[in-house]
Amino acid sequence: MNEEYKRALRKFYKNPSAMFGLILLIFFILIASFAPLLAPPQIPIDPEIENMESMINQLSETKDTSLIDDLTSSFSDYYDFTYGFYLDYADDVKKLEKALKNYQANKNEENLKKLIDELTPLTEDYVLDTSYLENIQNNLNDTKKFNSALKDLENGVKAFLSKATNAEKMKKELDEINSKNSSVDEFLPAAKKYFKDLKSNYIKDLHYDPYLMPIVTYENTPQPPSKEHPFGISNGRDIYYGVVWGTRTGFKIGLIVVITATIIGLFIGSISAYFGGWVDEVLMRITDIFMSIPFMLSAMVLTTVLGTGLDKVMIAMIVFGWMGSARLIRGNILQAKNDQYVLAAKALGVKDSKIIVKHILPNTIFPVLIQASMRIGSMVITAAVLSFLGVGAPQGYADWGSILNYARNWILGGTGGAFEYWYTIVYPGTAMVLFVLAWNLVGDALRDIFDPKLRG
Amino acid sequence: MKDPILKVNNLHTYFNTEDGEVRAVRGVSFEVHEGETLAIVGESGSGKSVTSLSIMRLLDENGRIAEGEILYKGRDISKIPEDDMRHIRGKEIAMIFQEPMTALNPVFTVGDQIIEMIMLHMGMDAKAARQRAIELLRKVGIPEPEKRVDQYPHELSGGMRQRAMIAMALSCNPKVLIADEPTTALDVTIQAQILELMKELQKEYGMAIIFITHDLGVVAEMSDKAAVMYAGKVVEYGDIVSIFKRPKNPYTWGLMQSIPKLNEEVERLMSIPGTVPNPRKFPKGCGFSNRCFLAKEKCKDEMPELIEVEPGHYSRCFYIDELVKEVEKSRVGEK
Ligand SMILES: Nc1ncnc2c1ncn2[C@@H]1O[C@H](COP(=O)(O)OP(=O)(O)OP(=O)(O)O)[C@@H](O)[C@H]1O
Ligand code: SF4
Ligand SMILES: [Mg+2]
């Protein structure tokens, strides 16, 4: 096997187009993995936090003890403002949780009244949203809605309590800092740790999505490449950022869609081939029906039904993308079943299950995997087309198709001359073409190496 | 005399097809002893492969053994459960096929496939099995077996692949080896080598060989006995010397005249006119009646029985005496 491995590699090295594809692919993988470094997401940071950060840095440089007081006071202020609230009401909410549990264990009038009694003051103090109370009171007669209101409340309480737990932890750390404010050496590590937790809590609560391309200008016309925005600006967003993070989107779409669709296809196709008869008939007719529906149309209809968004697009692409693999594996298995080595293996007493796993699958699955690897690239194009048609990724999502979509109005250039806005197309377009090319070349090379029928 | 190792008794094998039942084999009987070679001869479509696949119980899903018994060491294996049959396949009765190109799995090395068999039936560990695989490859005349064992089927020539296939079939010392036209796809010199090899291996291992071919010339070289098949039936059966010296069936005689002889001119080469009847509509009477030069009215309506014309020599024909005269006439002419 090792020998064979080496031989495969050697074959790969000797094939220039395969090498080129592989290098391209590695290049894309690197870009995708180092996206946060290549195009750092610009998280909007609270000035308060920035201030604290600079104080900490100053402290570690100058060891100026007067800064300790400043820092502890800003920590305390920030604490009161962000966390204190949760701790203040933690006990009340815990009582509410108990009442809720009691009611869920024993659903009677009395327990419900207790629950509402607990909930009312909390909503009045704006600790919990009034909608929790309203939804419960207004739906007393509608069991389904009532239950979902209870569920919402349960989640709300849980979220609150988890924040409270976190606040408690932060309080402990703060107390520790306050007890160490006599020396810089003791204070500094504790303060650094506290600040780190604080900042990560802040970012977490922000629900910041790095896949959103930052808006850098409110100017509508595209802006040509400049030092800060090397690929220019389209629709007010930085193209460079979109192209870099779009690499991740490309891999996400390609891999998830193709892997899922291929697994579904393999499953349906091999069941069809293995059982034959009416099972085969039914499954293949279903496959035919799916194949006869124009893909773009069906994907668009499905995304409109499910709602737009990248995940919906991927679902649509999976639902209408498994048939190729199903057909291919079915045909291959049917053919392999009649191949003489299967009969020969049977004639020498090999078990059926082993024949399937050892003799039929290896001979049938490679073409499917190779086809799948080639499709990964083209999936990105399909997703781009959907984005271009406006049913794909949401506004501002880092996705090559979306960036191209922004260019729609500028393709012909402005009054200044044709192709004035070339950068709105060339950068995302090149990325896409190279991505597709990379997968195709690698798929081709895989076929040359692994397809037993082309061996030798 | 010892009991035969394999005895086929009145075997009938039918296939269900869309246009009705195909009776591909309709009463075949023969027996082989240890160390003996039986040839099954006949034109394409006469049911040779179906007979051997019936013995192995590897018929297509639409086929079934409708009647008859297959006695291996006295035990009827035509009806035993599939699980028991699997232990017989490979270890007791092994089979090799016509197409060495496709009979080996292209994605595994030759060694892998032989080792698989050895481990399966002999319970050896991987290391010992590999050693044995190399030994077997050497035995079947493959040069540099240590290297070949790690090669893929496509890296071997056709003849070598067939040798590898034989090594695989021999890996578990089967008592019976069925070879279905093992040399048909190979060119003549390679063919001779493979036949030579099989004879040698038989001497060494003492197994019985059932050798299927449509080439009567090969039969003479290889076998002790022959069963000549036509249209799903055995039409002549006996030891090789009696059959060649004293053919008792017009079909066998026809086949013998179509063997090219080195000292004869090509134009004298005869072949039997016409083709094998379609098994969907075999004639009511003798299967050969539409092509037989001796056929009479009776042949079309009635099926001749297989009769013992001399001890151990059987033939299925109404007009054996007339044939014997014809044969004598032609042999005198030759001399
Ligand atoms: N699965 C099947 N379904 C229907 N008919 C079959 C099936 N398998 C074999 N037959 C029929 O059985 C008949 C005998 O076939 P068989 O393969 O035994 O011939 P053969 O003597 O081995 O010929 P050849 O020299 O070409 O190998 C053929 O006419 C074939 O049509
Ligand atoms: S029975 Fe008739 S047709 Fe058949 S072989 Fe004899 S002579 Fe020919
Ligand atoms: Mg055959």
Side-chain angles (χ1 to χ4, degrees), chain B residues 49 98 180-181:
Chain B
S49 297
Q98 178 171 354
D180 190 350
E181 310 208 26

Side-chain angles (χ1 to χ4, degrees), chain B residues 15 17 22 24 43-50 60 62 181 214 279:
Chain B
F15 293 94
T17 66
V22 172
E43 279 168 289
S44 197
S46 49
K48 308 180 299 287
S49 297
V50 172
D60 291 338
N62 61 342
E181 310 208 26
H214 55 247

Side-chain angles (χ1 to χ4, degrees), chain A residues 1 4 7 337 339-341 343-352 354 358-359 362-363 366 452 455-456, chain B residues 56 58 86 89-90 94-95 97 99 102-108 116-117 120-121 152 154-155 165 168-169:
Chain A
M1 202 61 217
E4 167 66 3
R7 190 171 6 195
K337 250 169 125 179
D339 274 349
Q340 236 184 22
Y341 55 80
L343 191 63
K346 277 189 189 165
L348 297 176
V350 184
K351 258 194 244 164
D352 274 1
K354 198 161 179 197
K358 192 163 176 191
H359 293 274
N363 275 292
F366 275 127
R455 255 193 192 150
Chain B
M56 297 303 290
L58 287 174
R86 213 174 38 239
R89 279 185 213 131
M95 181 164 175
F97 295 88
E99 291 289 332
T102 53
L104 290 166
N105 189 336
V107 301
F108 294 108
E116 180 189 5
M117 294 303 152
L120 178 71
H121 291 295
Y152 286 86
H154 72 262
E155 296 170 271
M165 204 52 224
M168 203 158 132

Side-chain angles (χ1 to χ4, degrees), chain B residues 7-12 28-30 65 67-72 74-79:
Chain B
K7 184 173 161 86
V8 174
N9 232 340
N10 195 27
L11 176 74
H12 287 68
V28 164
S29 308
F30 54 75
I65 298 175
E67 217 186 303
E69 4 170 65
I70 298 163
L71 301 169
Y72 174 72
R75 174 185 180 207
D76 185 1
I77 56 169
S78 69
K79 288 170 199 79

Side-chain angles (χ1 to χ4, degrees), chain B residues 209-268:
Chain B
I209 295 182
I210 296 179
F211 190 87
I212 296 175
T213 178
H214 55 247
D215 182 351
L216 211 56
V218 172
V219 173
E221 266 176 60
M222 272 299 287
S223 38
D224 308 304
K225 285 198 294 197
V228 181
M229 278 189 73
Y230 191 80
K233 283 179 182 281
V234 172
V235 294
E236 184 160 6
Y237 174 63
D239 70 86
I240 213 77
V241 182
S242 345
I243 290 184
F244 272 84
K245 285 235 169 93
R246 301 178 291 279
K248 291 291 194 295
N249 189 288
Y251 178 61
T252 319
W253 175 235
L255 283 181
M256 281 164 67
Q257 282 177 303
S258 58
I259 305 173
K261 298 190 182 77
L262 284 178
N263 54 359
E264 268 172 41
E265 281 172 29
V266 185
E267 53 199 311
R268 276 210 49 201

Side-chain angles (χ1 to χ4, degrees), chain A residues 175-193:
Chain A
D175 289 345
E176 202 184 322
I177 293 175
N178 285 334
S179 69
K180 283 180 180 165
N181 58 7
S182 46
S183 96
V184 177
D185 290 337
E186 274 185 22
F187 179 79
L188 196 60
K192 270 187 179 160
K193 179 173 183 323

